[in-house]
Amino acid sequence: QVQLVESGGGLVQTGGSLRLSCAVSGRTFKTTMMGWFRQAPGKEREFVAGISWTWAGGSGYYADSVKDRFTISRDNAKTSLYLQMNSLKPEDTAVYYCAATSKYGSRWARDYEYWGQGTQVTVSS
């Protein structure tokens, strides 16, 4: 089992920034990718960003809607995942989840086996 616990959400004004964290623990030896997803009320859960969990030198990959505004990163000890969110917009309002998968490069929520409980991000206009 892999345990994931998000933190760092909150209320921010348009144009502001937030940094989400995800504490990772448990049996992560099969995990190859970590990702951030989000889900707004009445909408499906969508991919935000992903990063290799096995290769420390890898850069992240992003949904077009957040590219150049969000940055995903991880620590070398593989105990934490981060999402730096800049230039936030009201449409970024959602519950944000970190997730783990053994399927390299996936952007599909159905491929991620482990999920955190989520953290709310609200961007006011």
Side-chain angles (χ1 to χ4, degrees):
Q1 293 288 333
V2 176
Q3 290 81 44
L4 306 171
V5 180
E6 303 96 337
S7 61
L11 174 64
V12 64
Q13 291 185 335
T14 296
S17 298
L18 281 175
R19 179 178 166 91
L20 304 184
S21 298
C22 176
V24 183
S25 61
R27 299 166 62 85
T28 61
F29 60 91
K30 291 185 178 180
T31 297
T32 60
M33 299 294 301
M34 294 289 293
W36 287 98
F37 289 77
R38 66 187 182 186
Q39 188 167 19
K43 295 188 176 181
E44 293 187 355
R45 192 167 297 189
E46 65 174 358
F47 173 81
V48 175
I51 193 168
S52 172
W53 198 242
T54 56
W55 183 36
S59 59
Y61 55 102
Y62 302 90
D64 288 343
S65 59
V66 306
K67 198 173 297 183
D68 300 325
R69 298 189 298 123
F70 291 10
T71 303
I72 188 172
S73 62
R74 44 159 279 190
D75 67 337
N76 288 335
K78 297 199 290 186
T79 60
S80 294
L81 179 73
Y82 304 101
L83 185 68
Q84 177 67 42
M85 306 185 294
N86 299 329
S87 302
L88 283 162
K89 305 174 181 179
E91 51 263 44
D92 295 317
T93 295
V95 177
Y96 283 71
Y97 299 89
C98 69
T101 182
S102 57
K103 297 185 179 181
Y104 192 85
S106 176
R107 295 176 178 238
W108 299 102
R110 62 175 179 261
D111 288 336
Y112 283 72
E113 297 99 339
Y114 300 100
W115 294 83
Q117 83 288 350
T119 185
Q120 176 71 46
V121 171
T122 303
V123 185
S124 63
S125 57

